[in-house]
Amino acid sequence: APTAPIVLGCENLSPELGPLAGVRIDNHAAAIEATRHLLDLGHRRIAFVNGWRGAGLTADRERGFRDAMAAAGLDVDERRVVEGQLTTAGATRAAGQLLGEPPLPTAIFCATDEMAMGVMHGIRAHGLSIPEDISVVGFDDVRYAALLNPPLTTVAQPGELIGERALVRMLSAIDGTDVDTTTEIVPHRLVVRQSTAACTAQSKGR
């Protein structure tokens, strides 16, 4: 029986999906850009909240974070790479882990906006302010990101474009005019809002 065509939109969740056609942003490059934004603001103690170790959804984002830190000549403190389990509750617990002992991170890069929301809640629960004490960056630019207090700095994915291109490639695969199984990379955009600020002397000293 013929195999039904498959086109992935966004990230590959497992290595087995790697050979399939797909449309997504360059998550590695986007994470490098987001981390560089924090580095340019003077942050050096930067934490990263992933989904869980080796999670397909966040692996390239974590790799980009690590590569940007290495390019800046900074070692990644493994105590500051924690699992947020891709949920707000998990990320709130992750924030508690990060803020449990000094020196505290001056910035936290979250691999999804949902986890960034949980981290922001956890920061406030510890009596700290965003971005005065700790800057926060998310990833995805979900519809609520601009409505948070403060509005969230994040990486925007062009969801409509990803959907359109995935549909075009699917239709082409169905009618046999396109049997390409490569991954098409579409542009991302770093959206800088008010959840990030220059690293202050106060936050450096915590």
Side-chain angles (χ1 to χ4, degrees):
T3 302
I6 298 175
V7 179
L8 302 175
C10 296
E11 295 75 23
N12 294 343
L13 297 181
S14 70
E16 292 78 14
L17 299 177
L20 299 176
V23 182
R24 61 172 173 80
I25 66 168
D26 186 334
N27 286 274
H28 175 256
I32 288 177
E33 185 175 352
T35 306
R36 283 178 178 165
H37 168 66
L38 293 171
L39 292 167
D40 289 345
L41 289 171
H43 296 281
R44 295 297 179 266
R45 295 200 310 267
I46 305 174
F48 184 82
V49 178
N50 58 21
W52 53 85
R53 298 282 180 171
L57 180 64
T58 59
D60 283 345
R61 300 175 189 183
E62 179 176 340
R63 186 166 58 87
F65 163 73
R66 290 179 178 278
D67 287 349
M69 293 289 281
L74 298 172
D75 292 329
V76 173
D77 186 338
E78 295 302 327
R79 295 171 299 175
R80 296 196 183 112
V81 179
V82 297
E83 297 181 1
Q85 301 174 325
L86 300 177
T87 65
T88 53
T92 298
R93 290 191 294 270
Q97 181 179 341
L98 290 169
L99 304 178
E101 60 179 302
L104 304 186
T106 64
I108 303 176
F109 178 15
C110 304
T112 69
D113 286 348
E114 183 172 356
M115 291 193 294
M117 295 176 198
V119 163
M120 292 170 78
H121 177 73
I123 290 171
R124 291 197 179 93
H126 278 74
L128 300 172
S129 299
I130 308 161
E132 292 80 7
D133 297 313
I134 300 179
S135 289
V136 178
V137 173
F139 203 112
D140 290 327
D141 197 26
V142 298
R143 68 182 70 182
Y144 306 113
L147 303 178
L148 296 175
N149 182 25
L152 181 65
T153 295
T154 185
V155 173
Q157 299 204 56
E160 289 188 8
L161 177 59
I162 290 173
E164 290 171 1
R165 291 299 307 152
L167 177 59
V168 167
R169 294 190 63 181
M170 174 64 76
L171 294 174
S172 297
I174 290 172
D175 67 20
T177 60
D178 182 8
V179 292
D180 185 8
T181 59
T182 61
T183 296
E184 178 180 345
I185 301 299
V186 295
H188 66 271
R189 182 168 56 96
L190 178 65
V191 182
V192 178
R193 299 192 179 103
Q194 286 74 53
S195 67
T196 53
C199 186
T200 64
Q202 179 182 3
S203 61
K204 287 179 181 179
R206 286 187 180 273

